[in-house]
Amino acid sequence: MDPALTAEARSLLASVRATLKELAEEGVEQFDRTSDDAIGLPPRRDAPALPESDRELAQSHPREKAQALEAVRLELGECTRCPLCKGRDQIVFGDGNPEAALMFIGEGPGQEEDRRGLPFVGRAGELLTRMIEHGLEIPRSEVYICNIVKCRPPKNRTPQPDEVAACRPFLDGQIDAVRPRTIVTLGRPATSLLLGRDVSITRVRGTWHEYRGIPLMPTFHPAYLLRQYTPENRRVVWDDLKAALARSRQ
Ligand code: SF4
């Protein structure tokens, strides 16, 4: 190879490494289609811009929330605290902005989530992402999404009480780290856990509650919505999400 070219390639590589290091120090952990502006590119047309009020919130505790969240993840480690560890491929900790104003909490990872290590990336997750990005018009990467349990229950069964109890401190740790302005619980198990009683999601959805001092809005799980994709169900979930977004911006 031409030595001049090799030197140029090395110089370019060093420059890229330096830029990546700077971004990492600023808390940028990954690049996706909604974080183009982090590397100086204009946002793509299909990536909704973050409203000013959310930007202010994100800048109010720079890095502290990300560090607190990272501490929770470190504490979790390669967890074997409950039997769900035996069937998992990967721990699915959470996804999104540590400084999010809006936090979504579901029940547990499914097959696709277990495979990819990310929450809500299967069919139900795609619907949730569409509702966030095309309905609420905020990038998915600007909310925070996680589950009650971080390991996939066998055959997607409901997590057992001992499994929920073992994993709950880490969910609480995530909530305390992010301190969102509003929590949205997706489906009955997540709602029942955070409300401290067994609830009917049909009855409680659309009504305001509180968890650890944070306003909480229950709504249907997107998997339920996929099964019962009626105009009425879509309308009520849409109403719930709009109410949650509005509260998160107050
Ligand atoms: Fe640990 Fe939670 Fe996974 Fe159980 S579900 S093994 S408590 S991370």
Side-chain angles (χ1 to χ4, degrees), residues 76 79-85 88 91 149-151 163 166-167 170:
L76 185 65
C79 183
T80 56
R81 293 171 178 85
C82 89
L84 292 183
C85 68
R88 75 171 180 236
I91 288 178
V149 292
K150 316 302 182 201
C151 302
E163 296 160 352
C167 218
F170 300 97

